[in-house]
Amino acid sequence: MTAENREKYEKISRHFLEIIKALGLDLDDQNISDTHKRVARLYLEMFQGLEDGNEPHITTFPNKEKYSSMVFVKDIPFYSMCSHHFVPFYGKAHMGYIPKDRILGISKLARVLEFYAKRPQLQERLTEQCVGYLWNCLQPLGAIVVVEAHHLCMEMRGVKKPGSITITSAIRGCFEDKAVREEFLDLLDRPSW
Ligand SMILES: [Zn+2]
């Protein structure tokens, strides 16, 4: 653990211990007595995407074949934490682009998603950050990201809507064109095999 993370770990566990005390929980209970430390470790892991400069470095390749159709990966799973309530939201993302001069290894899309998911997050912002990354890194003709997620803050409390799914999308470039968007949605609709 880096010195900086060690300091964060100490602070989070100290403060989480106060929350446990405020709730009046029994600190002699072995299931609670070290919980503040476990939570601190968990937060450091779940919020790794906060470390500035840690954006995934994605190698791109020249588009030698002049491939100019849609490249897209669907159903990429992710877990994140809602920044309003600090409970998870999770689901899957569909990410696509139409290349111009550069292409990337498509397995890299999941790393971009994971990086931005590992921070207190809003689904809208996650979607925008992913599409923005593709747009800047590849400078493609167009890029699109669709995110479908369950929000535990909605499902467990308040309005209590178990099973409801929130969908967000963000587009760049030629996806502004309705026909291009529809091609993407057609591909998305196709049953997986
Ligand atoms: Zn929330």
Side-chain angles (χ1 to χ4, degrees):
M1 201 185 278
T2 62
E4 193 188 341
N5 273 349
R6 166 61 56 184
E7 197 187 320
K8 280 188 200 165
Y9 169 82
E10 299 291 347
K11 264 191 198 160
I12 296 168
S13 70
R14 200 163 62 237
H15 289 290
F16 207 84
L17 180 61
E18 292 308 311
I19 293 176
I20 289 172
K21 286 182 188 164
L23 291 171
L25 299 173
D26 176 9
L27 281 163
D28 291 328
D29 178 345
Q30 286 195 349
N31 294 305
I32 289 288
S33 54
D34 280 332
T35 294
H36 56 294
K37 298 179 193 165
R38 280 187 292 266
V39 170
R41 261 195 301 276
L42 184 76
Y43 277 12
L44 287 186
E45 191 188 322
M46 284 194 311
F47 300 144
Q48 271 172 14
L50 277 175
E51 285 172 35
D52 276 344
N54 239 358
E55 282 82 1
H57 180 73
I58 303 273
T59 319
T60 62
F61 305 95
N63 182 16
K64 282 205 190 119
E65 323 275 322
K66 299 281 170 232
Y67 185 80
S68 61
S69 299
M70 203 170 294
V71 179
F72 105 99
V73 182
K74 72 183 221 177
D75 295 339
I76 314 169
F78 74 92
Y79 291 87
S80 189
M81 285 277 265
C82 145
S83 61
H84 293 149
H85 304 96
F86 261 53
V87 290
F89 71 95
Y90 64 94
K92 51 196 181 175
H94 319 293
M95 301 169 76
Y97 71 103
I98 298 178
K100 195 161 64 183
D101 300 327
R102 313 289 299 175
I103 54 172
L104 51 62
I106 45 178
S107 65
K108 300 299 187 329
L109 294 174
R111 281 182 46 205
V112 174
L113 174 67
E114 171 150 323
F115 177 78
Y116 289 115
K118 286 203 164 184
R119 55 175 70 180
Q121 190 52 294
L122 301 177
Q123 184 177 334
E124 296 85 338
R125 193 168 58 203
L126 175 64
T127 314
E128 269 297 324
Q129 284 170 333
C130 287
V131 87
Y133 187 100
L134 287 182
W135 184 242
N136 293 329
C137 155
L138 284 173
Q139 303 184 324
L141 294 177
I144 186 166
V145 174
V146 174
V147 176
E148 303 179 35
H150 289 277
H151 287 252
L152 290 191
C153 58
M154 262 169 65
E155 301 200 7
M156 295 171 67
R157 56 169 280 285
V159 286
K160 287 213 177 83
K161 294 282 181 226
S164 64
I165 291 176
T166 305
I167 303 179
T168 46
S169 69
I171 53 176
R172 293 287 188 281
C174 63
F175 283 93
E176 302 276 356
D177 184 337
K178 193 162 176 250
V180 179
R181 251 187 349 260
E182 274 171 2
E183 187 190 336
F184 175 82
L185 294 173
D186 278 352
L187 289 168
L188 200 58
D189 255 355
R190 196 162 295 180
S192 306
W193 52 281

PDB file of all heavy atoms in Angstrom, residues 45 62 78 116 127 137 143 156 158 171:
ATOM      1  N   GLU A  45     -10.384  -0.135  -2.713  1.00  0.00           N
ATOM      2  CA  GLU A  45     -10.446  -0.956  -3.914  1.00  0.00           C
ATOM      3  C   GLU A  45     -11.521  -0.450  -4.876  1.00  0.00           C
ATOM      4  O   GLU A  45     -11.295  -0.311  -6.074  1.00  0.00           O
ATOM      5  CB  GLU A  45     -10.717  -2.408  -3.521  1.00  0.00           C
ATOM      6  CG  GLU A  45     -10.527  -3.363  -4.678  1.00  0.00           C
ATOM      7  CD  GLU A  45     -10.983  -4.775  -4.349  1.00  0.00           C
ATOM      8  OE1 GLU A  45     -10.772  -5.219  -3.203  1.00  0.00           O
ATOM      9  OE2 GLU A  45     -11.561  -5.417  -5.245  1.00  0.00           O
ATOM     10  N   PRO A  62      -3.064   1.624 -36.208  1.00  0.00           N
ATOM     11  CA  PRO A  62      -3.536   2.252 -37.450  1.00  0.00           C
ATOM     12  C   PRO A  62      -4.590   1.376 -38.120  1.00  0.00           C
ATOM     13  O   PRO A  62      -4.474   0.141 -38.109  1.00  0.00           O
ATOM     14  CB  PRO A  62      -2.282   2.359 -38.314  1.00  0.00           C
ATOM     15  CG  PRO A  62      -1.218   1.576 -37.633  1.00  0.00           C
ATOM     16  CD  PRO A  62      -1.645   1.276 -36.234  1.00  0.00           C
ATOM     17  N   PHE A  78     -20.380  -4.097 -15.216  1.00  0.00           N
ATOM     18  CA  PHE A  78     -19.644  -3.173 -14.347  1.00  0.00           C
ATOM     19  C   PHE A  78     -20.352  -3.055 -13.000  1.00  0.00           C
ATOM     20  O   PHE A  78     -21.540  -3.350 -12.885  1.00  0.00           O
ATOM     21  CB  PHE A  78     -19.528  -1.770 -14.980  1.00  0.00           C
ATOM     22  CG  PHE A  78     -20.826  -1.017 -14.927  1.00  0.00           C
ATOM     23  CD1 PHE A  78     -21.120  -0.173 -13.852  1.00  0.00           C
ATOM     24  CD2 PHE A  78     -21.786  -1.173 -15.914  1.00  0.00           C
ATOM     25  CE1 PHE A  78     -22.338   0.490 -13.780  1.00  0.00           C
ATOM     26  CE2 PHE A  78     -23.003  -0.513 -15.847  1.00  0.00           C
ATOM     27  CZ  PHE A  78     -23.275   0.320 -14.777  1.00  0.00           C
ATOM     28  N   TYR A 116     -13.658   4.199 -14.979  1.00  0.00           N
ATOM     29  CA  TYR A 116     -14.586   5.270 -14.609  1.00  0.00           C
ATOM     30  C   TYR A 116     -15.657   4.799 -13.623  1.00  0.00           C
ATOM     31  O   TYR A 116     -16.258   5.608 -12.917  1.00  0.00           O
ATOM     32  CB  TYR A 116     -15.220   5.886 -15.851  1.00  0.00           C
ATOM     33  CG  TYR A 116     -14.239   6.703 -16.647  1.00  0.00           C
ATOM     34  CD1 TYR A 116     -13.852   6.331 -17.923  1.00  0.00           C
ATOM     35  CD2 TYR A 116     -13.673   7.850 -16.102  1.00  0.00           C
ATOM     36  CE1 TYR A 116     -12.926   7.078 -18.655  1.00  0.00           C
ATOM     37  CE2 TYR A 116     -12.748   8.601 -16.813  1.00  0.00           C
ATOM     38  CZ  TYR A 116     -12.383   8.221 -18.083  1.00  0.00           C
ATOM     39  OH  TYR A 116     -11.472   8.954 -18.783  1.00  0.00           O
ATOM     40  N   THR A 127     -21.477   7.345 -18.329  1.00  0.00           N
ATOM     41  CA  THR A 127     -21.750   7.167 -19.757  1.00  0.00           C
ATOM     42  C   THR A 127     -20.994   8.207 -20.583  1.00  0.00           C
ATOM     43  O   THR A 127     -20.341   7.884 -21.585  1.00  0.00           O
ATOM     44  CB  THR A 127     -23.278   7.296 -20.008  1.00  0.00           C
ATOM     45  OG1 THR A 127     -23.961   6.528 -19.019  1.00  0.00           O
ATOM     46  CG2 THR A 127     -23.664   6.799 -21.376  1.00  0.00           C
ATOM     47  N   CYS A 137      -9.512   9.437 -27.524  1.00  0.00           N
ATOM     48  CA  CYS A 137      -8.397   8.505 -27.700  1.00  0.00           C
ATOM     49  C   CYS A 137      -8.317   7.993 -29.137  1.00  0.00           C
ATOM     50  O   CYS A 137      -7.237   7.796 -29.666  1.00  0.00           O
ATOM     51  CB  CYS A 137      -8.572   7.388 -26.665  1.00  0.00           C
ATOM     52  SG  CYS A 137      -7.852   5.837 -27.032  1.00  0.00           S
ATOM     53  N   ALA A 143     -18.876   7.716 -31.902  1.00  0.00           N
ATOM     54  CA  ALA A 143     -18.794   6.802 -30.765  1.00  0.00           C
ATOM     55  C   ALA A 143     -20.115   6.842 -30.012  1.00  0.00           C
ATOM     56  O   ALA A 143     -20.819   7.861 -30.017  1.00  0.00           O
ATOM     57  CB  ALA A 143     -17.644   7.194 -29.832  1.00  0.00           C
ATOM     58  N   MET A 156     -33.838  -0.511  -2.918  1.00  0.00           N
ATOM     59  CA  MET A 156     -33.898  -0.904  -1.513  1.00  0.00           C
ATOM     60  C   MET A 156     -34.657   0.061  -0.626  1.00  0.00           C
ATOM     61  O   MET A 156     -35.021  -0.260   0.487  1.00  0.00           O
ATOM     62  CB  MET A 156     -32.476  -1.019  -0.941  1.00  0.00           C
ATOM     63  CG  MET A 156     -31.653  -2.109  -1.544  1.00  0.00           C
ATOM     64  SD  MET A 156     -29.948  -1.989  -0.996  1.00  0.00           S
ATOM     65  CE  MET A 156     -30.102  -2.356   0.749  1.00  0.00           C
ATOM     66  N   GLY A 158     -36.763   4.275  -0.333  1.00  0.00           N
ATOM     67  CA  GLY A 158     -37.515   5.322  -1.021  1.00  0.00           C
ATOM     68  C   GLY A 158     -38.638   4.743  -1.852  1.00  0.00           C
ATOM     69  O   GLY A 158     -39.468   3.992  -1.357  1.00  0.00           O
ATOM     70  N   ILE A 171     -23.574  10.006 -27.144  1.00  0.00           N
ATOM     71  CA  ILE A 171     -23.079   9.816 -28.512  1.00  0.00           C
ATOM     72  C   ILE A 171     -22.134  10.937 -28.911  1.00  0.00           C
ATOM     73  O   ILE A 171     -22.145  12.021 -28.324  1.00  0.00           O
ATOM     74  CB  ILE A 171     -24.253   9.762 -29.534  1.00  0.00           C
ATOM     75  CG1 ILE A 171     -25.157  10.993 -29.369  1.00  0.00           C
ATOM     76  CG2 ILE A 171     -25.038   8.491 -29.385  1.00  0.00           C
ATOM     77  CD1 ILE A 171     -26.263  11.070 -30.395  1.00  0.00           C
TER      78      ILE A 171
END
